[in-house]
């Protein structure tokens, strides 16, 4: 399967959205802090990013790992950087 690419903010939002839809997390009313994805060399599956150090996640590690595995299988982190162009054309 070919992965879609997202920028870091969109990837972070997607992981956040999926985590906060999980039944256990909804029932407990917990708010988990989702970190920014970090670019890495593609692993054996071809995924080029990872996330670590979720906040307020004690007891939900297995749920978070499941979401992370699913999102990593669907998306890669965009590696295109915005060029530092002068907005005034100088």
């Amino acid at each position: 399967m070919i992965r879609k690419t997202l920028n870091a903010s969109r990837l972070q939002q997607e992981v956040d959205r999926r985590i906060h839809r999980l039944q256990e997390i909804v029932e407990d009313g917990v708010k988990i802090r989702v970190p920014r994805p970090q670019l890495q060399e593609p692993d054996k599956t071809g995924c080029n990013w990872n996330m670590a150090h979720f906040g307020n996640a004690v007891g939900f590690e297995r749920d978070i790992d499941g979401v992370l595995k699913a999102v990593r299988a669907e998306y890669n982190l965009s590696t295109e950087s915005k060029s530092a162009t002068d907005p005034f054309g100088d």
Side-chain angles (χ1 to χ4, degrees), residues 2 6 14 22 30 37 44 50 54 58-59 70 73 76-77 84 86 90:
I2 297 177
L6 291 176
E14 180 62 17
L22 295 173
V30 69
K44 63 183 177 185
N50 201 6
F54 287 79
V58 174
N76 261 342
L77 181 59
D86 185 351
D90 292 338

Side-chain angles (χ1 to χ4, degrees), residues 2 4 7 9 37 52 54 56 61 63 68 70-71 87:
I2 297 177
K4 300 172 205 146
N7 66 28
S9 295
F54 287 79
N56 203 29
E61 294 88 354
D63 298 312
L68 211 48
V71 177

